[in-house]
Amino acid sequence: MSVLDRASPETLRTLSAMRRALAAHVERRGDRLVVKYWSGWIAFRSFAAGRAFAEVRPGKTGIELFLLPPRTALRDPHGLAAPVPPSRGWGWFRTRVKVANGLADRAFDLLAQSYECARRMPRKGRRR
């Protein structure tokens, strides 16, 4: 079962709106958004930075995002950001955001901040 099969149609619309807005932001910076679909999550990656900057987990009632910067480093006027529980986020994502369906615009700014954080990080060497 694909991660997209478990999501509701409204969640898929919210995810699509977030992806379009993020792709436009990344293109304005001269970069390319790479999206990889896995069985339980979706990875948003920066081609220029060579790394993932967000892990997205769509569900029935909304979307859960895992972002690179710590919660304290984010500007979060809507109060969506929370610390990542120790069992989640693969150890390198430090912030968790839960977005209800239809509220993609509130999470876009946090995704953009995570992208900018990835661009500032040193580029990792290519895997062989």
Side-chain angles (χ1 to χ4, degrees), residues 55-74:
E55 178 183 302
V56 181
R57 296 180 184 186
K60 295 285 183 201
T61 61
I63 298 170
E64 188 175 28
L65 305 170
F66 292 90
L67 308 175
L68 284 176
R71 180 179 55 134
T72 55
L74 294 170

Side-chain angles (χ1 to χ4, degrees), residues 18 21-22 25 53 65 67 69 73-78 80 97 99 103-117:
M18 286 172 45
L22 191 58
H25 175 77
F53 61 88
L65 305 170
L67 308 175
L74 294 170
R75 293 178 317 280
D76 182 19
H78 300 290
L80 299 174
V97 176
V99 181
L103 300 177
D105 56 333
R106 292 185 178 185
F108 169 73
D109 188 47
L110 297 173
L111 278 168
Q113 290 177 61
S114 186
Y115 165 75
E116 297 299 336
C117 176

Side-chain angles (χ1 to χ4, degrees), residues 5-24:
D5 294 335
R6 290 189 297 257
S8 70
E10 190 174 351
T11 300
L12 293 176
R13 283 191 294 275
T14 302
L15 180 62
S16 179
M18 286 172 45
R19 182 180 173 179
R20 281 192 308 272
L22 191 58

Side-chain angles (χ1 to χ4, degrees), residues 45-52 123-124 126:
R45 299 177 56 86
S46 162
F47 183 78
R51 68 170 301 134
R123 184 173 168 91
K124 293 182 176 184
R126 291 252 185 226

